[in-house]
Amino acid sequence: MSSPADTSSRADTSSRAGGPSRIDASLLDVHVRGSGPALLLAHGAGGGIEPNFGQVLDDLARDHTVVGPHYPGAGASPVAREPLDLDALVDAVVESAVSRGHERFVLLGESLGTVVSLRAAARYPQRVTGLVLTAGFAVADPVLSVAAELVTTLAHAGEWDTLARFATYAGLTDRELNELPGEALEAAVAATREGMPAGMADHFDLVRRIDVRADLASIRVPALVLMPTGDRLVLPDSSRRLAEALPDATLVEIPGGAHILGERDRTLWLGHVREFLTGLPG
């Protein structure tokens, strides 16, 4: 594993004493597609590469190598044996690209993946050339903190059906929920239940503990902060605060967008991302 260039951040990334436990990057399930400059994907809590980025993978892979590692307990990655540590997770995500020959890359993070991306930019400034942060935050606000606690509690209790209903509610906007007939809503809940990864509780437990606010001022790479204005899980103000704290950030709204972007909003997202990538220094 590559050594981080800078591990001096004051961010509180773990609730355990004794330092982070290493995550073996070679055991992670990694999605790789395309060729060209590397885009390293960091998915959300309870998500994955296909659930978060599936609608745009083919397009991004037309002129980039897309590298998408699954966190422990997502995709085919084995479940963690102990609580996740942010720095250990960041190191494994970065190693998934470096071990495949990509020394430098743009990071695309969604929700929890935005914190992974931010911490990676702080620990590996020589590797990260840009950041795309969707539904981003640096620390969980009270709404996200309560939601993360509820998810972990339900998951540990084995209340997966109830958890699926909550996740469906949190991932859609009021308009989307109101427009779904009863049968379609039940189908959405069933699909959510089917797609929930084994490591979901571990991911949301990490959401409750992380805080990278101390890193933000030192991150000097260009950042595109994409704010779904209808997000009820990561509230839009979190994206605003994130963009204000980063030295070189552009904030762009996804009007009415939910935490889980639908096809129309993801198409809009892709246009903004494409423009951002084109404008990055060569």
Side-chain angles (χ1 to χ4, degrees), residues 135-142 144 216 225 227 233-244 251:
F137 63 99
V139 64
D141 68 6
L144 180 57
L216 301 182
V225 179
M227 180 178 70
L233 186 60
V234 178
L235 299 183
D237 276 347
S238 290
S239 289
R240 290 193 186 96
R241 288 192 293 269
L242 188 56
E244 290 169 356
L251 178 66

Side-chain angles (χ1 to χ4, degrees), residues 11 39 82 99 158 187 196 205 239:
L39 301 177
E82 58 186 69
S99 65
M196 289 191 300
D205 173 65
S239 289

Side-chain angles (χ1 to χ4, degrees), residues 14-240:
S14 175
S15 62
R16 305 187 308 279
S21 299
R22 181 177 181 271
I23 295 173
D24 188 347
S26 69
L27 298 180
L28 296 185
D29 173 25
V30 182
H31 180 111
V32 181
R33 188 182 302 189
S35 61
L39 301 177
L40 180 56
L41 308 183
H43 65 76
I49 299 306
E50 282 289 343
N52 285 162
F53 299 99
Q55 295 172 338
V56 295
L57 287 175
D58 285 340
D59 189 283
L60 293 175
R62 288 190 293 108
D63 47 9
H64 290 83
T65 301
V66 178
V67 181
H70 287 90
Y71 307 155
S77 296
V79 176
R81 296 182 178 180
E82 58 186 69
L84 292 174
D85 177 271
L86 179 59
D87 283 352
L89 180 60
V90 165
D91 292 347
V93 167
V94 168
E95 181 65 13
S96 71
V98 174
S99 65
R100 289 166 173 79
H102 304 290
E103 297 290 336
R104 289 166 62 79
F105 38 79
V106 176
L107 262 159
L108 282 68
E110 304 252 336
S111 194
L112 170 60
T114 65
V115 189
V116 172
S117 300
L118 291 162
R119 187 65 176 156
R123 284 174 69 78
Y124 297 91
Q126 79 282 17
R127 298 200 183 282
V128 178
T129 60
L131 296 168
V132 175
L133 308 170
T134 306
F137 63 99
V139 64
D141 68 6
V143 170
L144 180 57
S145 183
V146 168
E149 182 177 5
L150 179 60
V151 169
T152 55
T153 299
L154 290 172
H156 287 313
E159 297 287 346
W160 294 101
D161 291 338
T162 302
L163 178 50
R165 290 190 177 280
F166 172 75
T168 303
Y169 171 83
L172 299 176
T173 65
D174 289 335
R175 176 183 57 80
E176 289 171 331
L177 284 169
N178 288 332
E179 290 177 354
L180 280 177
E183 298 83 357
L185 179 58
E186 290 304 314
V189 171
T192 299
R193 172 69 179 88
E194 180 68 22
M196 289 191 300
M200 190 163 184
D202 293 333
H203 301 169
F204 277 92
D205 173 65
L206 180 60
V207 167
R208 293 190 298 170
R209 293 185 280 111
I210 49 182
D211 183 349
V212 298
R213 287 174 292 183
D215 285 333
L216 301 182
S218 68
I219 297 174
R220 300 291 172 174
V221 297
L224 174 64
V225 179
L226 292 151
M227 180 178 70
T229 63
D231 195 338
R232 297 188 301 185
L233 186 60
V234 178
L235 299 183
D237 276 347
S238 290
S239 289
R240 290 193 186 96

Side-chain angles (χ1 to χ4, degrees), residues 252-264:
V252 175
E253 293 186 1
I254 306 293
H259 188 70
I260 304 300
L261 296 178
E263 183 176 355
R264 178 185 63 84

